[in-house]
Amino acid sequence: MALPLESSARPELRAPLDRGRQAVLRHGTEWVRLLGSGAPERHGRILVDHLEGVVLRQRAFPEGAFDPAEEMRALVGGLLGGSAD
C-alpha cells in the first residue's frame, strides 16, 4: 500500500503500478459483468476502490476477527440493483 504513495515522489513507479491496477480493474470488471452489472466498468472500479480501502484500513487498524464478506455482499448487491442490506 506504500508504493502508490511512493509513486508521487518517484514517477518511475507509476507505469508499473498502473499496469498492475489496470489488470486488477479488468478482473473486477469481469466479475461484476458475470454477475449481471449494467455498468461493469464503473461497478468494477467501485469494487476495486472499495477493496483497496478495506485492505488499507485493515493494515493500518487490524481487527482480530476481520471478515469483509458481509460488507462485500452489501456493496455488490447495491451495485447490481439488489438489496444493500
Side-chain angles (χ1 to χ4, degrees):
M1 297 311 297
L3 282 173
L5 295 174
E6 182 67 19
S7 73
S8 66
R10 296 182 49 200
E12 69 274 12
L13 296 175
R14 290 183 190 147
L17 287 171
D18 187 54
R19 285 192 299 273
R21 178 167 170 75
Q22 293 307 312
V24 171
L25 286 171
R26 283 191 298 276
H27 288 293
T29 297
E30 185 59 21
W31 290 338
V32 294
R33 183 185 325 277
L34 291 170
L35 292 171
S37 170
E41 289 79 16
R42 179 172 182 260
H43 293 159
R45 187 183 69 252
I46 291 169
L47 177 64
V48 168
D49 286 348
H50 178 76
L51 287 170
E52 287 177 350
V54 168
V55 169
L56 179 60
R57 183 188 70 212
Q58 181 62 17
R59 295 295 298 153
F61 306 103
E63 297 175 17
F66 176 69
D67 182 2
E70 186 176 327
E71 286 183 8
M72 293 307 300
R73 278 192 294 275
L75 175 64
V76 172
L79 291 173
L80 299 177
S83 172
D85 295 328

